[in-house]
């Protein structure tokens, strides 16, 4: 296994990373240092004890999508291939072949969980007419538990407020919504963010960002807690100016 590890500032200099507690950041660096040449770590708890980190630090790395967990306790660094390029003469393939087969490498070199293949006949039968109206398997997390995240209701609300036609079945959109839901945000939180940003950005140059990848990104909590400012087009000054009336404090200045 190669002994050198690199870190990309594209990951470690982001607000999402730097906003985490120092203990969480330290755990991330140590996990990277102990990972195999494909980014897998099988002794996360040992590393936690070694550096005095907690389970909350590990859970936060999962919630913020810096590591991807597997049911057997194994984890993989999501941005491993962004950080590291290991030359062929020093590269040793991971022994965790089954777990690696569950991943795909996106165009930005990030790992993501492979979406379940529903092309085979057995799966199609199981998801046929007898499944209509019932909760299906959560294909994003790989869990056998029903996925109760209201994807359709969230996306329908976004389309209603912005006049868009986004699909709730899109894997990218679902993964973003799922990530925020895993962080504890509710349906009302999603609606609040959509409504706030729609009011703020509608009719401006920012209107093009009224889309799932922006609204439901890691900035979601910031959008949720943002104080609503009046849209200039709807403010009293805007109306007066439109009507040709100048406020007293501006008289003689315009």
């Amino acid at each position: 296994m190669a002994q050198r590890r690199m870190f990309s500032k594209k990951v470690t200099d982001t607000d999402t990373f730097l906003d985490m507690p120092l203990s969480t950041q330290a755990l991330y660096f140590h996990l990277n240092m102990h990972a195999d040449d494909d980014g897998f770590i099988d002794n996360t708890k040992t590393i936690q004890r070694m550096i005095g980190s907690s389970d909350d630090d590990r859970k936060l790395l999962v919630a913020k999508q810096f590591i991807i967990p597997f049911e057997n306790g194994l984890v993989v660094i999501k941005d491993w291939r962004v950080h590291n390029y290991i030359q062929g003469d020093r590269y040793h393939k991971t022994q965790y072949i089954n777990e690696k087969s569950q991943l795909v490498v996106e165009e930005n070199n990030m790992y993501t969980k492979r979406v379940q293949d529903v092309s085979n006949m057995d799966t199609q039968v199981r998801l046929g007419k007898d499944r209509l109206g019932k909760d299906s398997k959560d294909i994003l997390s790989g869990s056998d538990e029903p996925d109760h995240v209201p994807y359709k209701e969230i996306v329908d609300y976004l389309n209603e407020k912005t006049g868009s036609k986004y699909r709730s079945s899109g894997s990218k959109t679902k993964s973003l919504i799922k990530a925020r839901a895993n962080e504890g945000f509710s349906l009302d939180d999603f609606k609040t963010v959509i409504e706030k940003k729609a009011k703020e950005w509608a009719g401006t140059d920012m209107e093009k960002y009224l889309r799932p990848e922006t609204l439901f990104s890691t900035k979601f909590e910031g959008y949720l807690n943002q104080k609503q400012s009046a849209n200039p087009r709807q403010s009293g000054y805007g109306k007066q100016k439109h009507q040709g009336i100048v406020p007293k404090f501006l008289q003689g200045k315009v």
Side-chain angles (χ1 to χ4, degrees):
M1 183 174 73
Q3 297 301 307
R4 295 182 180 180
R5 295 292 180 249
M6 302 293 289
F7 295 93
S8 172
K9 294 172 68 175
K10 292 180 180 179
V11 177
T12 59
D13 270 10
T14 61
D15 287 342
T16 303
F17 184 85
L18 295 174
D19 282 346
M20 295 190 301
L22 291 178
S23 59
T24 308
Q25 296 181 37
L27 177 59
Y28 181 75
F29 284 120
H30 279 275
L31 290 176
N32 274 269
M33 292 303 298
H34 287 80
D36 66 17
D37 288 354
D38 284 306
F40 290 87
I41 309 103
D42 62 359
N43 60 341
T44 303
K45 290 188 178 296
T46 299
I47 296 172
Q48 288 178 217
R49 290 192 295 269
M50 181 178 68
I51 67 172
S53 183
S54 69
D55 282 342
D56 286 340
D57 292 316
R58 175 178 52 80
K59 291 176 181 178
L60 184 56
L61 288 176
V62 173
K64 296 294 185 182
Q65 300 184 65
F66 285 105
I67 61 175
I68 299 174
F70 294 88
E71 292 181 357
N72 58 4
L74 194 71
V75 301
V76 67
I77 306 296
K78 180 178 179 65
D79 298 297
W80 178 256
R81 294 169 66 95
V82 178
H83 292 308
N84 293 280
Y85 172 76
I86 301 175
Q87 295 180 352
D89 60 339
R90 294 189 292 116
Y91 167 74
H92 290 80
K93 187 176 181 179
T94 185
Q95 61 179 311
Y96 304 108
I97 306 300
N98 180 54
E99 287 78 12
K100 188 176 181 181
S101 68
Q102 299 176 38
L103 302 173
V104 294
V105 180
E106 298 179 336
E107 291 183 2
N108 56 9
N109 267 340
M110 294 180 183
Y111 282 133
T112 187
K113 278 281 187 76
R114 187 185 300 276
V115 177
Q116 180 182 350
D117 183 5
V118 295
S119 61
N120 64 76
M121 183 61 68
D122 291 339
T123 306
Q124 289 181 2
V125 171
R126 184 163 49 85
L127 296 178
K129 293 182 179 179
D130 59 331
R131 297 292 296 172
L132 292 177
K134 298 182 180 179
D135 292 313
S136 61
K137 180 177 179 179
D138 180 1
I139 62 175
L140 292 174
S141 66
S143 170
D144 287 323
E145 294 297 320
D147 184 2
H148 297 291
V149 179
Y151 301 107
K152 188 176 187 304
E153 192 167 354
I154 292 170
V155 176
D156 284 351
Y157 192 76
L158 172 61
N159 290 335
E160 175 188 336
K161 291 296 182 180
T162 63
S164 303
K165 295 182 179 180
Y166 292 106
R167 297 179 296 109
S168 60
S169 58
S171 59
K172 180 63 176 178
T173 297
K174 291 187 71 171
S175 66
L176 288 167
I177 295 175
K178 181 69 172 179
R180 304 291 80 79
N182 286 342
E183 292 173 2
F185 294 108
S186 67
L187 172 61
D188 286 340
D189 293 331
F190 281 94
K191 288 185 175 181
T192 297
V193 168
I194 292 169
E195 189 169 347
K196 280 186 175 182
K197 304 314 288 185
K199 286 182 178 179
E200 179 183 356
W201 291 346
T204 72
D205 291 340
M206 296 295 290
E207 188 170 17
K208 61 186 176 183
Y209 295 111
L210 291 172
R211 57 191 185 189
E213 54 263 44
T214 300
L215 298 177
F216 308 146
S217 69
T218 52
K219 295 182 179 181
F220 184 89
E221 187 171 7
Y223 293 152
L224 179 64
N225 290 286
Q226 175 183 334
K227 292 184 178 180
Q228 189 70 54
S229 57
N231 189 312
R233 296 180 300 108
Q234 300 172 345
S235 66
Y237 171 65
K239 291 180 180 178
Q240 290 173 327
K241 185 175 181 181
H242 179 71
Q243 297 170 356
I245 303 174
V246 181
K248 290 183 178 180
F249 74 92
L250 288 178
Q251 290 181 3
K253 298 182 180 181
V254 297

